[in-house]
Structures are given as C-alpha cells and as structure tokens.
C-alpha cells in the first residue's frame, strides 16, 4: 500500500496527530493508500517553514535564478513522467492516455509558462506633470504576496494544483498545498521533484487532510497565510471566503459550472458531435468546463442526438492501461451515488433517457468500482434539477432551439458562468454570441483548448478573479508604486 505523508520544510513527515486515513481505488474500492492527516500543528509547521523560506535564500533569489529553477522543476517532472502518470492514474482510475496527453504535460507546462511570464512582463510606468514644470516619474515594482494557501480538488489533481503553484512560485511566493483527500499522490511526488532540483526548503509544502475542521480549514484560517487560491465546489468557496475575511486576505476562486454547449445547424456536424462528446464525457464528465446542457438547432436535433448516442454507447470501460479500454470510473463511491441519484431524479422529472442511466456490467473484479454509464437525456424543462444543478458526471441533457436570441437566453439562465462551447461555421454569429454569453471562457468550434497566457476563470458563482498569463501575476504579487519627483 502506498504511504503518503506531508511535505514540510523539504521533509516528508507523518506529523504529530497520529491520524491516518485511507484512499480506495476508484476501479474496485480496494484500499490502496494510507495518508497522514494533518491538524493545526502540521499547518503551523508548514506556515513557519514557508515564512522561513521567504525570509531566507528564496526571498532574496534573483528572478533569473528562480526562473531557471522553475524550468528545472518542469524538466524533472518530464524526466519522471511515468511516475506522475502512474501516481495520478492510481488516484483517479482514468485512462493512461488522458494522463499522458493532457494532465501531466500540463503540470510541466504550468511551471515553464509562468517562468516565461514573470521574465517578460513589464510593470507600468507613468510620467506626470508637476506645477514646477519638472515632473515626476512613477513606476511599479512587483513583490510576492508571501505565503499562499493552495486548496485543490480531485478531478484533474496535478494540472489544477500546479496551475496555482507554478505562478505562485514564479512570483516568488511560498506555498502550502492541501490536495484533495481523494488524490494526494502527485502533490507528494512534486515534493521529491522540488528537492531534486534544489528548490529551497519550505518553498513548497503539502499538508494532507480534509476540508472542514481539518487541514483545509486550518490553512484558510491561519493568519500566517497571506492569500488563498482555491479550485472546487462553489459552496466550499463560500466557506473559504468567510475564513479569508478574517484578516481581509485575498482570494482567487475557480468553482463549479453548468456549462452550455450550443450547436447550430450550419456546424461541421462530425466535428460538433466529437467536440460535444468530449466536452460532456472526458474524464467521465468530471471536468469543471464540461458540458451538461446542450442546445441544438432544431433542424439537426434528432440527427445530433442519434450521433451522440452512438458515441456514448461505444465507450469501453476498463482499467487505465487495459488494451482497448478508454473509459474510467468516477472518483469515489460517494460521488458515484451522487451521480446515480441525479440519474434517478432525471427519470422522476420526466426525462427521456436516450442512453445510459445506470451502472455498466463489469467483470467480477471491477464490479465494486465506481462505474456509471455515459448518459444522455432529452425532454426536460429548464427548471428540472438535472438541468440546473452541477452533477459533475458523464451526462448531458439536450434540448432543441429555434433562434440565436432564444439560445443566448437559455445558456445564460444559470447561476454559474464558467465556460461555453459553440459550434457554427457562421463566424459573425460566433463573435456576437461570445460577447453575449455570461461566462469567463467561450470556445468556438473547440473545447478545452488552452493557451496558458489567456485569462481563465468564471463569472457569477463560477469564480472570483482570473488566472493565466499576466492575470496570475495580478493575484500572486502586489504591485507597489514608486513616485520620484524629478
Ligand atoms: N472552475 C474551475 O476551474 C474548476 C476546476 C476543477 C474543478 N472545479 C470544481 O470542483 C468541484 C469538484 O471538486 P471537489 O469535489 O474536490 O471540490 P470540493 O470543494 O469538495 O473540494 C476541493 C478542496 O477543498 C477542500 N475543502 C473542502 N471544504 C473545505 C473548507 N471548509 N475549507 C478549506 N478547504 C476545504 C477539499 O478538501 C479539497 O481539497 C466541482 O464543483 C468542479 O466544478 C472547478
Ligand atoms: O476540470 C477542470 C479543468 C480546469 C482546467 C484548468 O484550470 C486549466 O486548464 O487551467
């Protein structure tokens, strides 16, 4: 069984609580990992280590040297690529190819890109007039915020954690990471990477545990933590915001979604089917940017539903490296039960179940895993819980629409506002729609195509703030203005 400990001041430690908890494999629910559970003492130790790092070599390190170190981190992740793929696969049960092509390469990229950003992005300068005619010069300098609490979820653990750790370190901060209790592996491996490339002790710390009254809450409440960056559910964000109010600490939140896919009759049909399929079912639907509401222009509605059904019925469930398998389980029994409860609710609410709606037949070995069928519904009103609430599973509801104005208003009728994906060959319409849909990210004829220099984040209850490129610098540094009278 894998043993996962905290990583504090450059050392792996079980801490002092004496408590450990178990992680079960999503594939069959056998216990695969024992994880140290952190308490206040571990969070105190991690904060002290991070403060020491800021006061020491790390705090004084020239940017160029820090940038080289982040490149070395990225290279070491790439060198240990197979270990990262294996570690993340064990935690999530998702197919190897998703780790190999999306999640782990993005982890390395998250360090490289922000190393480049910090090296290349200037600060502002303003010359001003003064009554004596001599003028004054203003310029900005960026300083790190200090100690950043990073609270991350289980659905793309390494990608999402490094999406915050990369820029935080590029900006010269120290971090305390609390990975999801479901997915501790890659955060621990990253500790080994930090030591291997000589990142000073205490710059990167990991405390494992849960949220409320555990490591998560203690990090967000700790007065020695200067800012908190969080990805996860909207209601967790609410709790963290309350904790951050104490000491008026800054927050950056990436939260839930109930994202709309919009398909016009003039789209490239095959590309749209594939794109919507990916957006609804990648990672077994456990993607915040995923599409759980799909609106299809009426002339192609029936054909589109039939094509999506065929794709959904062609998935092959199995272990991450099984030959021919391309579809994994949900993260936990609890999450499986939640998703299945929505499957039951859809039927109660009067949905037509186009495909799925239950648990697939699995071999005896895997029957205990968290498997659910990709599921497609039609026929529900927009008021149905299944159409309004984030399910975070492999499912979507399809509804026909007749006009651009109608579909904009359907897409916007939600408390969330993370992303949308629009499929059309009419580019004027695509641009018009992009400006009218209340989301942080609009993809046109694509989905989850990521340029890490762009602003990423959600509107409404999907988030606070933007990260990515210079936007990450805005959160992970403070700009000080220097005014010089000439
Ligand atoms: N917008 C985005 O970029 C984005 C990306 C990925 C996932 N998500 C969202 O994440 C959710 C799925 O992830 P999850 O189930 O792990 O989310 P979650 O909110 O349950 O947990 C996220 C993290 O917060 C911690 N936590 C829970 N309660 C806490 C508290 N009171 N104080 C401090 N920490 C606490 C958890 O232990 C975990 O590490 C979905 O809602 C999904 O939409 C959003
Ligand atoms: O499941 C959510 C995926 C989020 C993706 C990002 O945060 C990203 O690509 O930076």
């Amino acid at each position: 069984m894998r043993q996962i400990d905290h990583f504090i001041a450059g050392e792996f430690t079980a801490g002092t609580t004496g408590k450990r908890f178990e992680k079960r494999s999503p594939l069959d629910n056998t216990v695969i990992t024992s994880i140290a559970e952190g308490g206040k003492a571990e969070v105190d130790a991690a904060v002290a280590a991070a403060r020491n790092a800021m006061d020491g070599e790390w705090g004084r390190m020239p940017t160029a040297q820090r940038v080289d170190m982040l490149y070395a981190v990225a290279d070491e992740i790439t060198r240990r690529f197979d270990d990262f793929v294996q570690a993340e696969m064990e935690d999530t049960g998702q197919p190897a190819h998703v780790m190999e092509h999306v999640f782990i390469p993005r982890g390395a990229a998250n360090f490289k890109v922000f190393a480049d950003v910090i090296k290349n992005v200037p600060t502002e300068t303003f010359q001003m007039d003064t009554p004596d005619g001599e003028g004054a010069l203003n310029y900005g300098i960026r300083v790190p915020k200090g100690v950043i609490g990073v609270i991350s979820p289980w659905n793309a653990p390494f990608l999402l954690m490094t999406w915050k750790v990369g820029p935080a370190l590029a900006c010269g901060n120290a971090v305390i990471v609390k990975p999801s209790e479901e997915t501790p592996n890659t955060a621990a491996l990253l500790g080994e990477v930090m030591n291997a490339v000589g990142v000073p002790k205490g710059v990167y710390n990991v405390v494992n545990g849960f949220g409320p009254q555990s490591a998560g809450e203690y990090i967000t409440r700790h007065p020695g933590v200067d800012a908190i960056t969080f990805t996860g559910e909207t209601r967790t964000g609410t709790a963290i915001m309350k904790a951050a109010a104490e000491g008026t600490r800054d927050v950056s939140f990436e939260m839930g979604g109930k994202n709309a896919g919009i398909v016009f009759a003039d789209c490239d049909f095959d590309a749209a089917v594939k794109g919507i399929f990916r957006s609804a079912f990648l990672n077994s639907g456990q993607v915040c940017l995923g599409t759980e509401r799909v609106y299809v222009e009426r002339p192609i509605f029936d054909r589109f539903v039939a094509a999506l059904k065929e794709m959904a019925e062609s998935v092959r469930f199995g272990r991450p490296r099984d030959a021919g398998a391309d579809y994994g389980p949900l993260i936990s029994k609890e999450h499986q039960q939640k998703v299945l409860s929505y499957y039951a609710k859809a039927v109660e609410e009067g949905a037509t179940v186009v495909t799925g709606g239950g648990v697939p037949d699995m071999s005896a070995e895997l029957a205990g895993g968290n498997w659910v069928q990709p599921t497609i519904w039609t026929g529900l009103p927009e008021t149905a819980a299944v159409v309004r609430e984030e399910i975070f599973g492999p499912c979507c509801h399809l509804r026909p629409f007749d006009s651009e104005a109608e579909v904009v208003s359907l897409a916007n009728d939600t408390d969330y506002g993370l992303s949308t994906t629009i499929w059309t060959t009419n580019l004027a319409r695509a641009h018009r729609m992009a400006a009218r849909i209340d989301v942080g990210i609009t993809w046109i004829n694509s989905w989850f195509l990521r340029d890490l220099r762009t602003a990423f984040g959600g509107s409404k209850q999907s988030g606070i703030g933007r990260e990515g490129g210079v936007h990450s610098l805005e959160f992970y540094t403070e700009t000080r203005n220097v005014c010089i009278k000439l």
Side-chain angles (χ1 to χ4, degrees), residues 148-416:
I148 310 285
V150 177
I151 312 282
S152 53
W154 47 257
N155 58 308
F158 191 55
L159 183 162
L160 291 168
M161 186 258 298
T162 52
W163 173 240
K164 291 165 178 309
V165 172
L169 298 198
C171 293
N173 300 283
V175 296
I176 299 163
V177 175
K178 211 296 282 172
S180 166
E181 51 275 26
E182 292 291 345
T183 53
N185 281 353
T186 42
L189 256 187
L190 189 59
E192 293 180 19
V193 166
M194 295 288 169
N195 280 351
V197 306
V199 171
K201 292 181 188 317
V203 170
Y204 173 79
N205 306 278
V206 181
V207 182
N208 287 295
F210 300 89
Q213 293 177 21
S214 184
E217 183 177 336
Y218 301 148
I219 291 170
T220 58
R221 292 206 175 278
H222 201 292
V225 171
D226 299 299
I228 298 149
T229 178
F230 162 73
T231 300
E233 283 189 29
T234 299
R235 68 165 181 272
T236 310
T238 306
I240 292 178
M241 203 164 178
K242 285 182 184 155
E246 206 55 56
T248 58
R249 279 133 348 116
D250 203 359
V251 294
S252 173
F253 285 171
E254 293 174 3
M255 303 186 290
K258 188 73 182 178
N259 311 302
I262 300 173
V263 184
F264 284 93
D266 65 8
C267 68
D268 172 339
F269 186 83
D270 291 342
V273 174
K274 279 193 200 125
I276 293 289
F277 175 80
R278 239 183 107 240
S279 74
F281 300 116
L282 179 78
N283 213 31
S284 304
Q286 304 166 117
V287 180
C288 56
L289 307 157
T291 301
E292 290 186 355
R293 302 183 291 143
V294 183
Y295 302 101
V296 183
E297 208 171 6
R298 199 174 299 274
I300 61 162
F301 184 77
D302 291 343
R303 191 171 149 229
F304 192 90
V305 172
L308 199 65
K309 170 181 192 291
E310 194 182 323
M311 286 198 81
E313 289 176 355
S314 71
V315 307
R316 292 154 302 172
F317 300 94
R319 295 177 184 278
R321 290 195 196 276
D322 281 355
D326 59 7
Y327 212 75
L330 299 181
I331 190 72
S332 64
K333 207 25 107 192
E334 188 190 353
H335 192 52
Q336 181 203 36
Q337 293 311 310
K338 176 184 160 188
V339 171
L340 289 175
S341 77
Y342 276 105
Y343 284 12
K345 192 174 268 182
V347 174
E348 280 162 33
E349 290 181 315
T352 300
V353 182
V354 174
T355 188
V359 174
D361 279 336
M362 300 299 295
S363 65
E365 274 187 339
L366 297 179
N370 312 320
W371 308 92
V372 299
Q373 291 174 317
T375 295
I376 299 172
W377 304 289
T378 57
L380 285 172
E382 292 296 296
T383 49
V386 166
V387 181
R388 302 212 71 79
E389 296 169 17
E390 182 188 50
I391 302 170
F392 219 57
C395 51
C396 58
H397 176 257
L398 282 79
R399 171 192 165 127
F401 71 89
D402 295 296
S403 75
E404 195 180 309
E406 179 196 6
V407 77
V408 168
S409 110
L410 287 166
N412 283 340
D413 182 17
T414 167
D415 295 334
Y416 293 109

Side-chain angles (χ1 to χ4, degrees), residues 47 50-55 58-59 143-149 168-169 171-176 202-203 205 224-228 475-478 480:
V47 172
R51 289 263 152 229
N52 280 342
M54 294 302 296
D55 292 341
W58 180 250
V143 295
K145 274 221 169 104
V147 177
I148 310 285
L169 298 198
C171 293
N173 300 283
V175 296
I176 299 163
V203 170
N205 306 278
V225 171
D226 299 299
I228 298 149
F475 180 72
Y476 294 104
T477 61
E478 255 170 18
R480 291 183 186 160

